[in-house]
Amino acid sequence: MRSDVSRWMLLAVFLLALPFGASADWGALNMPVGVTEISKEVYTLHMRIFYICCIIGALVFAVMIYSMFAHRKSKGAVAADFHESTAVEIVWTIVPLIILIAMSIPAAKVLVKMEDFSDSDMTIGVTGYQWRWHYSYLDEGIEFYSQLDREHNAARQQGAEVDLEQFGEIYLREVDNPLVVPVGKKIRFLHTAADVIHSWWVPDLSVKKDAIPGFINENWAKIEEPGTYRGKCAELCGRDHGFMPIVVIALEQADYDEWVLDQQNKVAAATIDADRAWEHQELVATGEAVYQSNCMSCHQKEGQGIPGMFPAIGGSHIATGDIDTHIETVLNGVTETAMTGFSGKLSDSELAAVITYQRNAFGNETGDTLQPAALKTFRQGQQQTLLTQPQLVTDTGVN
Amino acid sequence: MSYSDNTHGDTHHGDHDDHGPAPGLMRWVTTTNHKDIGTLYLWFSLLMFFIGGAMALIIRAELGAPGIQFVDPMFFNSMTTMHAIVMIFGVVMPAFVGLANWMIPMMIGAPDMALPRLNNWSFWIMPFAFTIMLSTLFMDSGGPAGGWTLYPPLVLQMGDSFAYVIFAIHFMGISSVMGSINIVATIFNMRPPGMTLMHMPMFVWTWLITAFLLVATIPVFAGAVTMLLTDRFFDTSFFSAAGGGDPVMFQHIFWFFGHPEVYILILPAFGIVSSIIPTFARKPLFGYDSMVYATASIAFLSFIVWAHHMFTTGMPLAAELFFMFSTMMISVPTGVKVFNWVSTMWRGSMSFETPMLFAIGFVIMFTIGGLSGLMLAITPADIQYHDTYFVVAHFHYVLVPGAIYSLMAATYYWIPKWTGNMYDETLGKWHFWISTIFVNVLFFPMHFVGLAGMPRRIPDYSLQFADWNFVATIGAFGFGFSQLLFVYIIVKCVKGGEKATGEVWEGARGLEWTVDSPAPYHTFETAPVINESTLTR
Ligand code: HEM
Ligand SMILES: [Cu+2]
Ligand SMILES: [Cu+2]
């Protein structure tokens, strides 16, 4: 009876394995080697401990399997009587201990190197928000938010009839504003978070560090090759934890310098944009786009919200009532709820647009138009109350 | 090595106390009999196994293909959270307590547990605690969705149902602590003359140590969740930087409980396997003393490795080095256990009935999980592994073909003693083989996607992970549905079947095999005689 079952099972294993073995691309199966000195050393450690584990496993399983065939009662094996040996026990305590010590020395060396934050060439503040990253280049005065690309965001909604194949390997790993850095520079990252704990992880750089609200963590990378490196938030941070990717683009120094100039010009242009007068329709159209990439994950596509968690915008007293309350809600958020303030995350034009949109969509018919310039004035009057998020102003405050 | 019937240690005949169970449903409500309570615990955890399993299948269904197909990401998060809470606190822990209740008194020759009324209470708290816990899923603000690790500030974003979650956790904790106190009291006070500590069966030893771990760590956990409760509802700021607190402090407290907890989930399994392998190898356990010492050192070390779950939180270098070394150390005694099991098999006279198959499956697949644990201990590499599917693969290898397999092995091993009937051996073997194939199809690919960069606790992923996730989902459904076979086998065995002898297994040693099958309602009301033939070593 026994061998009957086993024989069937072996056949089943074989048949199950067939279609899988035959199919082609299984993607990467191993840790990436990465593009920094540290990531390469980490990879080496990983492979070394992996091989050690394979050898130990192979030895143990070989003995077991041999024994299972050779020492079975059905073959007439008679049980031996030994059941103790201090010498053997000592050997299999000491030998693994030696292997472990041999392994821990190189591991400790790499760890010490990873924790050496001195002599960095530049510093970037990385703040985690639900569910986007904020980058600020402390020396260049550039700052921006970076979140899941809008097309990917639409594709990942429940019931979205979108062919994911078009995105391929970068599905959910594309952002609107990637982090751009130079190669060959020791970049120091300062991590913190505004709401809950996040974790900034880019496998190719072998960096993963928690972003903890109210605390600042250090980290560093020195990228050796230009390229695009993708990562993800690694610490569960709420509903859209799976949807806050990281994209790092490493450029040669000259290209990087050009990018910096470009960014600085854009900041100047946005100021001009906010000061001009906008058409109502233009605001609504811009607002819809802003809504879809910033608000929809909670308030939902049709503005209906999720009962018990996120209020509906359609018919909301705030979105149809006094506009000042509406502006305040969007700028500052509502403390101790998932509704964080959007002041600073969105530009003045975007803020004015999304508020105008909310007041004229989902059945709300206020007919209001909020000009970016008016919002800017409102916001500047409120500046004081906005300093509720942790700020990475200078690096002097860090250990 | 077979005993004649007159070695039966059970002499309850004619005793004034010789009544069977009370009739009707009230038997189960008011019972203080260790066997009844053990049975209750075991049925309870079997039920919870299917509830937790259904949640796992919801998770795997969503992850079967990229894109969001079935559930909202928020609900997905409550499924992962609830699945873990149910499996840990509702399946593995109560099942081990159930086995302890049934077997410890019979293994040491005691008439019952030391504190029988407390015992009734420890069990009956559990259904209430879990009803409350599961009911949060139907409340307006939903079930807990911040992960079973309950990290603030995220967990504090939960709505008012959070209070119910904390309340339920407190009650599960009370139940565990009372159960543990009872086990310690029983082992220390109820052993008959001759049953010295160093003669106790390994299962009793591992439970003794587990019980101490529980008594030491559950109150720490209770303190941590109470601080969460006051942070959430009473404006304290233990874990909020804005009020001078520290969210990472929670992680330290949690894992000071959490790491010993993972050993709570495995030490009794070590005990079970150490009972089964000698029986079917027909050879005494190799290195009994070193097994006891290894278990004790694992328990001690488990208190000084907690921060290996926190290597990315930005600890000082010295702390990272310390926790790396201590974590590597813990695999030494774990290795000793594995080597001892293999040596017990070596030159035995093995037969492969279902309990033995599950026990061998345990040793092999637990070792795989232990080896990936060793990889995780290498801190620089863990920074890459942490919070990826590689970790998910690691702990599922130690928990599913580890802890859960030990429970299945225990069920097949002792069910003839519980019911008086043999289970269906052919079906048992099918159960083992089908489960083993699917459990590997389910969990092995997770190593790959984890290394290749797939984070854990996400409802959707990039396309390069699609193939292996699909494979894992097939494995999940296969494994899940093959457990219906397990239930069928159990029910069939309870209802009838070939009658079991008192000894049940040819190579079985120990007091529990000296009583009839099914074990009479009261056993060892007078202390049994302890000698060579009734001891396991
Ligand atoms: C050989 C001994 C073991 C070692 C060296 C080890 C090491 C580790 C390490 C370093 C982690 C943290 C991984 C990370 O999050 O980055 C971990 C996670 C985990 N281990 Fe182990 N482990 C061992 C055995 C066990 C056993 C016996 C169990 C339970 C039966 C277990 C259950 C878990 C669980 C549940 C987690 C994940 C917790 C979570 O984050 O949700 N491990 N292990
Ligand atoms: Cu995040
Ligand atoms: Cu641990």
Side-chain angles (χ1 to χ4, degrees):
Chain A
M1 198 61 80
R2 170 192 321 129
S3 48
D4 241 27
V5 177
S6 329
R7 210 166 298 140
W8 274 106
M9 284 303 146
L10 282 177
L11 184 68
V13 175
F14 183 69
L15 288 178
L16 260 171
L18 265 185
F20 298 131
S23 96
D25 172 31
W26 286 102
L29 304 179
N30 200 359
M31 183 189 284
V33 182
V35 290
T36 66
E37 190 191 331
I38 295 287
S39 76
K40 288 170 188 164
E41 286 177 16
V42 167
Y43 177 80
T44 310
L45 282 176
H46 156 70
M47 288 316 286
R48 190 175 304 165
I49 187 76
F50 172 67
Y51 288 132
I52 292 177
C53 287
C54 287
I55 294 169
I56 299 174
L59 288 176
V60 172
F61 299 152
V63 175
M64 275 183 86
I65 289 168
Y66 173 79
S67 170
M68 281 190 277
F69 282 99
H71 307 143
R72 49 169 72 212
K73 192 183 175 219
S74 58
K75 284 199 177 162
V78 181
D81 191 35
F82 64 88
H83 57 86
E84 216 145 29
S85 161
T86 313
V88 170
E89 300 285 352
I90 290 176
V91 168
W92 65 42
T93 308
I94 301 290
V95 172
L97 208 58
I98 295 173
I99 298 176
L100 289 180
I101 292 171
M103 192 58 217
S104 67
I105 293 169
K109 278 192 187 142
V110 176
L111 193 58
V112 169
K113 236 192 244 179
M114 289 174 110
E115 295 286 311
D116 175 10
F117 308 112
S118 60
D119 299 326
S120 60
D121 301 314
M122 62 183 286
T123 304
I124 298 178
V126 181
T127 309
Y129 287 83
Q130 284 172 316
W131 291 277
R132 50 160 71 80
W133 297 100
H134 177 263
Y135 298 112
S136 80
Y137 295 63
L138 297 193
D139 311 313
E140 288 82 357
I142 299 170
E143 55 167 330
F144 54 86
Y145 284 85
S146 173
Q147 63 181 343
L148 182 62
D149 178 83
R150 194 185 310 157
E151 277 179 40
H152 292 242
N153 196 39
R156 63 103 178 173
Q157 300 300 327
Q158 191 165 359
E161 305 271 317
V162 178
D163 174 24
L164 301 179
E165 291 292 334
Q166 59 173 310
F167 303 119
E169 299 220 339
I170 63 168
Y171 173 54
L172 300 179
R173 304 189 148 210
E174 186 73 314
V175 296
D176 50 0
N177 304 311
L179 178 70
V180 178
V181 294
V183 294
K185 287 274 165 72
K186 181 165 181 177
I187 307 160
R188 185 169 67 136
F189 298 103
L190 298 179
H191 298 288
T192 188
D195 31 49
V196 301
I197 302 177
H198 302 265
S199 190
W200 200 74
W201 177 37
V202 183
D204 279 316
L205 314 188
S206 198
V207 291
K208 182 185 285 146
K209 201 63 144 245
D210 292 359
I212 300 163
F215 292 82
I216 293 177
N217 264 336
E218 273 181 295
N219 209 352
W220 69 274
K222 188 170 179 179
I223 304 175
E224 289 170 350
E225 296 158 35
T228 304
Y229 307 110
R230 295 172 198 274
K232 285 251 184 153
C233 174
E235 178 67 49
L236 178 61
C237 58
R239 184 175 185 274
D240 285 351
H241 161 59
F243 309 101
M244 49 184 295
I246 297 157
V247 178
V248 178
I249 298 185
L251 298 178
E252 296 289 358
Q253 187 66 42
D255 300 334
Y256 171 74
D257 290 339
E258 203 169 298
W259 177 85
V260 169
L261 256 170
D262 220 43
Q263 290 301 303
Q264 286 163 343
N265 290 339
K266 264 196 201 149
V267 175
T271 321
I272 298 168
D273 196 40
D275 288 339
R276 74 181 166 89
W278 288 54
E279 294 287 326
H280 179 78
Q281 273 319 316
E282 195 185 359
L283 281 170
V284 170
T286 313
E288 183 173 4
V290 175
Y291 181 84
Q292 282 172 0
S293 48
N294 293 281
C295 322
M296 190 170 79
S297 56
C298 297
H299 294 295
Q300 304 299 303
K301 193 162 174 91
E302 302 301 329
Q304 77 275 30
I306 297 179
M309 276 194 291
F310 308 117
I313 298 297
S316 142
H317 293 300
I318 292 177
T320 55
D322 179 26
I323 192 164
D324 285 358
T325 322
H326 192 175
I327 299 176
E328 256 172 60
T329 308
V330 178
L331 284 184
N332 306 339
V334 183
T335 42
E336 289 181 21
T337 72
M339 180 67 200
T340 50
F342 284 85
S343 168
K345 291 186 209 175
L346 298 175
S347 72
D348 289 335
S349 326
E350 286 170 325
L351 285 164
V354 76
I355 292 170
T356 306
Y357 173 69
Q358 287 193 334
R359 299 183 78 74
N360 298 286
F362 318 127
N364 297 346
E365 291 170 349
T366 61
D368 291 344
T369 308
L370 176 63
Q371 285 297 338
L375 184 114
K376 189 177 172 188
T377 320
F378 190 102
R379 184 173 59 75
Q380 282 165 348
Q382 289 230 327
Q383 210 54 285
Q384 271 331 92
T385 56
L386 297 180
L387 295 172
T388 49
Q389 316 286 6
Q391 302 273 315
L392 289 172
V393 190
T394 61
D395 53 347
T396 47
V398 187
N399 17 359
Chain B
M1 198 202 302
S2 86
Y3 315 122
S4 59
D5 274 346
N6 60 19
T7 55
H8 284 192
D10 159 26
T11 54
H12 65 273
H13 300 284
D15 196 297
H16 70 283
D17 208 24
D18 180 30
H19 52 75
L25 214 58
M26 283 312 278
R27 162 183 177 184
W28 300 105
V29 179
T30 59
T31 184
T32 55
N33 178 288
H34 73 102
K35 299 186 183 79
D36 279 355
I37 294 174
T39 305
L40 284 171
Y41 266 113
L42 291 170
W43 280 116
F44 173 76
S45 50
L46 188 63
L47 173 68
M48 295 306 284
F49 185 47
F50 280 87
I51 295 177
M55 293 174 179
L57 292 188
I58 293 175
I59 297 170
R60 276 320 318 172
E62 181 55 61
L63 290 174
I68 303 269
Q69 286 87 24
F70 304 109
V71 295
D72 183 84
M74 201 68 189
F75 185 71
F76 181 91
N77 289 347
S78 22
M79 283 297 100
T80 55
T81 307
M82 218 38 133
H83 159 73
I85 292 175
V86 168
M87 286 299 187
I88 293 172
F89 298 101
V91 179
V92 178
M93 290 170 70
F96 282 147
V97 180
L99 291 175
N101 260 294
W102 250 105
M103 303 317 299
I104 289 179
M106 295 214 310
M107 284 178 152
I108 62 174
D112 204 313
M113 297 294 279
L115 309 162
R117 287 172 192 231
L118 189 78
N119 206 10
N120 172 291
W121 199 27
S122 337
F123 171 75
W124 276 108
I125 284 177
M126 290 298 281
F128 289 98
F130 269 94
T131 307
I132 293 170
M133 178 61 88
L134 293 172
S135 71
T136 61
L137 285 173
F138 303 98
M139 295 180 186
D140 273 352
S141 50
W148 82 280
T149 47
L150 303 173
Y151 283 2
L154 180 63
V155 77
L156 302 176
Q157 288 184 347
M158 194 181 165
D160 287 345
S161 47
F162 185 60
Y164 293 87
V165 172
I166 301 298
F167 186 73
I169 291 178
H170 272 301
F171 273 85
M172 292 167 203
I174 291 172
S175 163
S176 295
V177 171
M178 292 195 310
S180 311
I181 291 174
N182 208 347
I183 288 168
V184 173
T186 306
I187 296 174
F188 279 156
N189 296 310
M190 310 279 284
R191 278 173 294 123
M195 179 60 80
T196 65
L197 284 176
M198 288 311 272
H199 279 114
M200 296 193 310
M202 270 313 286
F203 180 68
V204 180
W205 252 117
T206 52
W207 240 118
L208 179 64
I209 292 170
T210 305
F212 275 105
L213 287 181
L214 276 163
V215 173
T217 60
I218 294 280
V220 176
F221 186 40
V225 297
T226 307
M227 286 189 266
L228 287 180
L229 188 77
T230 63
D231 267 13
R232 173 68 180 76
F233 293 105
F234 304 107
D235 285 338
T236 55
S237 9
F238 291 109
F239 307 127
S240 149
D246 181 351
V248 178
M249 181 55 95
F250 176 84
Q251 302 186 15
H252 282 290
I253 304 174
F254 180 86
W255 286 113
F256 184 79
F257 147 79
H259 191 84
E261 170 69 23
V262 307
Y263 281 96
I264 289 163
L265 301 174
I266 205 72
L267 294 185
F270 289 171
I272 292 166
V273 171
S274 303
S275 310
I276 292 175
I277 292 182
T279 298
F280 296 96
R282 296 171 178 76
K283 187 164 155 279
L285 182 66
F286 187 84
Y288 176 96
D289 292 348
S290 77
M291 284 298 226
V292 172
Y293 300 140
T295 312
S297 17
I298 290 175
F300 169 75
L301 287 171
S302 77
F303 282 106
I304 56 164
V305 298
W306 77 87
H308 65 211
H309 297 270
M310 302 167 54
F311 284 135
T312 60
T313 56
M315 284 185 292
L317 176 62
E320 292 188 342
L321 288 171
F322 172 81
F323 285 107
M324 174 168 79
F325 296 140
S326 62
T327 304
M328 291 172 88
M329 283 289 292
I330 211 165
S331 32
V332 173
T334 313
V336 167
K337 305 214 75 138
V338 173
F339 300 144
N340 278 330
W341 289 321
V342 176
S343 310
T344 306
M345 292 165 65
W346 187 255
R347 293 187 50 211
S349 169
M350 276 186 277
S351 57
F352 298 90
E353 287 83 349
T354 310
M356 181 65 159
L357 289 178
F358 275 99
I360 291 174
F362 171 96
V363 175
I364 293 181
M365 288 181 278
F366 172 79
T367 303
I368 295 177
L371 290 172
S372 62
L374 185 55
M375 295 176 71
L376 291 164
I378 308 293
T379 308
D382 179 68
I383 288 177
Q384 291 277 44
Y385 306 138
H386 176 66
D387 265 331
T388 68
Y389 260 84
F390 189 79
V391 174
V392 178
H394 155 69
F395 64 76
H396 280 98
Y397 262 91
V398 285
L399 288 173
V400 182
I404 298 285
Y405 264 39
S406 80
L407 289 167
M408 291 174 175
T411 307
Y412 286 112
Y413 187 52
W414 283 309
I415 205 170
K417 181 56 62 189
W418 301 336
T419 63
N421 306 322
M422 290 307 285
Y423 60 87
D424 185 327
E425 187 64 51
T426 311
L427 287 183
K429 290 209 168 89
W430 276 101
H431 175 223
F432 169 77
W433 282 105
I434 298 175
S435 299
T436 302
I437 290 170
F438 281 121
V439 89
N440 286 291
V441 172
L442 167 55
F443 293 122
F444 210 82
M446 293 185 183
H447 291 112
F448 303 143
V449 290
L451 290 176
M454 178 166 160
R456 64 190 278 212
R457 295 169 166 170
I458 57 170
D460 195 3
Y461 47 80
S462 325
L463 298 195
Q464 66 271 37
F465 306 131
D467 294 341
W468 286 120
N469 270 291
F470 181 65
V471 173
T473 296
I474 295 181
F477 279 84
F479 184 76
F481 283 100
S482 51
Q483 301 323 309
L484 294 173
L485 183 57
F486 185 43
V487 177
Y488 175 76
I489 297 169
I490 292 174
V491 171
K492 188 172 165 202
C493 178
V494 170
K495 286 207 171 141
E498 189 194 323
K499 293 288 160 249
T501 61
E503 194 195 14
V504 183
W505 308 109
E506 186 188 29
R509 293 178 46 149
L511 284 171
E512 77 262 38
W513 309 109
T514 64
V515 303
D516 288 336
S517 299
Y521 199 55
H522 296 285
T523 38
F524 300 123
E525 286 181 295
T526 50
V529 179
I530 309 288
N531 58 33
E532 268 300 275
S533 71
T534 50
L535 286 172
T536 52
R537 67 172 309 222

